[in-house]
C-alpha cells in the first residue's frame, strides 16, 4: 500500500479556504486517492475520491497533478464545524479495491472565529 | 436509515474475560471491516470480510477473532482480552470488495477498557 504523508495540524479561520496536501510518492497505477473526515469519538466519514485531475462535490474539491504523487483537499469557506481530523488514503483494485485501507495519523484541522 | 450499528458502545472488562462486540449493517454491503484507533497511531485494520464466510487478517489481527455467518453481521471476538487491547473500535462496511470505489461507512465506535 502506498504510504501517505500529510501535515500533522493546520489552523484556519472561519470563511477561509483550506488546502490540505498529501504526499504519496509511490502511488500505484491502479490506486485511487480518498479523503475521510473524523470528528472526536466518531467514525471516519467519506469526503471525496479521485484518480486524476480534479474532482468536486458538494463539500470539497480534490486536486491531483499529472504525476499523481500528491493530492490536495480543498475545503471552501470553512466553518467551526469543519474542525476535525482529515485522512488521506490511497488504494485500488490490486489492494482489494481500496477496501483494505490504511489510515495514517491524519491532519488535525482547527478552525477558529 | 442506512447505518452501521455497534454494541456495546462502552465496555469495561477484566483481563481474560471473553467478550464480543457486535456489528450490523442494513445496506446489504458485501464488505465489512474492523479497526482499532489508538492515540498517535491512527486507525489500524484488524480483520475484514469480503463476503459471507470469507474473512482475512488486517494489519493487527493478534488477539482477535471474527466470523461472518450472515451478510449483515460481523462480530469481533476477544477470547482473552488483555490491557493492550484497550482501544476505540470501529466497524465499517462498503458495497463490495474489489471495486475501485471504496466509500466505507463507519459505525459509532465501541470504547473498550480492559483492566
Amino acid at each position: 500500500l502506498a504510504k501517505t504523508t500529510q501535515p500533522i495540524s493546520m489552523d484556519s479561520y472561519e470563511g477561509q479556504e483550506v488546502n490540505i496536501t498529501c504526499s504519496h510518492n509511490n502511488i500505484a497505477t491502479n490506486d485511487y486517492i480518498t479523503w475521510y473526515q473524523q470528528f472526536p469519538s466518531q467514525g471516519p466519514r467519506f469526503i471525496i475520491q479521485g484518480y486524476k485531475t480534479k474532482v468536486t462535490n458538494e463539500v470539497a474539491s480534490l486536486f491531483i497533478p499529472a504525476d499523481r504523487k500528491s493530492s490536495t483537499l480543498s475545503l471552501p469557506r470553512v466553518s467551526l464545524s469543519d474542525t476535525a481530523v482529515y485522512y488521506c488514503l490511497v488504494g485500488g483494485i490490486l489492494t482489494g479495491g481500496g477496501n483494505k485501507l490504511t489510515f495514517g495519523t491524519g491532519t488535525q484541522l482547527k478552525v477558529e472565529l | 436509515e442506512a447505518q452501521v450499528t455497534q454494541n456495546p458502545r462502552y465496555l469495561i472488562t477484566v483481563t481474560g474475560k471473553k467478550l464480543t462486540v457486535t456489528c450490523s449493517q442494513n445496506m446489504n454491503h458485501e464488505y465489512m471491516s474492523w479497526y482499532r484507533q489508538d492515540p498517535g497511531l491512527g486507525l489500524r485494520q484488524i480483520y475484514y470480510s469480503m463476503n459471507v464466510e470469507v474473512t482475512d487478517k488486517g494489519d493487527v489481527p493478534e488477539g482477535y477473532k471474527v466470523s461472518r455467518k450472515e451478510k449483515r453481521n460481523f462480530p469481533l471476538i476477544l477470547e482473552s482480552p488483555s490491557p493492550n487491547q484497550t482501544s476505540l473500535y470501529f466497524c465499517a462496511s462498503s458495497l463490495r470488495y474489489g471495486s475501485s470505489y471504496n466509500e466505507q461507512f463507519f459505525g459509532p465506535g465501541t470504547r473498550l477498557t480492559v483492566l
Side-chain angles (χ1 to χ4, degrees):
Chain A
L1 293 172
K3 178 180 168 56
T4 60
T5 303
Q6 16 175 163
I8 294 174
S9 64
M10 295 183 68
D11 294 328
S12 184
Y13 294 95
E14 275 203 320
Q16 291 192 331
E17 178 184 75
V18 171
N19 296 307
I20 306 174
T21 297
C22 178
S23 172
H24 28 78
N25 290 319
N26 59 341
I27 188 170
T29 302
N30 294 312
D31 284 346
Y32 280 71
I33 300 155
T34 311
W35 287 79
Y36 282 79
Q37 174 193 56
Q38 185 181 26
F39 298 111
S41 297
Q42 293 186 26
R45 183 176 71 102
F46 175 94
I47 300 175
I48 197 166
Q49 182 187 35
Y51 183 79
K52 62 180 179 180
T53 63
K54 177 183 174 182
V55 179
T56 297
N57 61 22
E58 62 274 10
V59 297
S61 294
L62 178 59
F63 298 92
I64 306 168
D67 66 5
R68 303 199 329 121
K69 293 183 182 300
S70 66
S71 58
T72 298
L73 175 72
S74 181
L75 305 172
R77 297 180 298 282
V78 295
S79 65
L80 294 175
S81 63
D82 292 315
T83 294
V85 177
Y86 292 83
Y87 296 95
C88 164
L89 300 92
V90 296
I93 294 175
L94 294 182
T95 55
N99 290 133
K100 189 178 184 301
L101 300 178
T102 298
F103 285 78
T105 52
T107 297
Q108 172 67 64
L109 172 64
K110 182 179 179 182
V111 180
E112 299 176 289
L113 288 172
Chain B
E1 180 190 355
Q3 60 182 345
V4 178
T5 57
Q6 296 178 224
N7 281 294
R9 294 289 312 282
Y10 302 90
L11 178 61
I12 300 174
T13 189
V14 296
T15 299
K17 185 176 181 181
K18 180 179 178 180
L19 68 91
T20 299
V21 183
T22 64
C23 173
S24 183
Q25 50 90 9
N26 62 1
M27 296 169 279
N28 201 35
H29 283 172
E30 291 183 355
Y31 180 91
M32 298 184 74
S33 178
W34 275 102
Y35 295 85
R36 61 177 289 174
Q37 186 170 34
D38 303 289
L41 296 176
L43 285 102
R44 294 179 291 170
Q45 192 175 49
I46 303 171
Y47 268 96
Y48 62 98
S49 169
M50 295 78 84
N51 214 324
V52 176
E53 302 290 4
V54 184
T55 63
D56 204 354
K57 297 177 180 178
D59 297 317
V60 288
E62 295 77 21
Y64 304 94
K65 286 177 57 176
V66 293
S67 67
R68 187 90 180 276
K69 292 181 169 49
E70 304 167 281
K71 198 171 188 177
R72 63 184 293 128
N73 296 324
F74 189 45
L76 179 69
I77 303 157
L78 284 72
E79 295 270 2
S80 182
S82 63
N84 65 10
Q85 292 179 298
T86 292
S87 187
L88 179 59
Y89 291 86
F90 291 103
C91 179
S93 74
S94 63
L95 188 57
R96 64 179 57 87
Y97 178 84
S99 168
S100 59
Y101 182 63
N102 59 12
E103 176 177 1
Q104 291 201 28
F105 295 82
F106 283 79
T110 295
R111 188 166 293 280
L112 172 65
T113 301
V114 183
L115 302 174

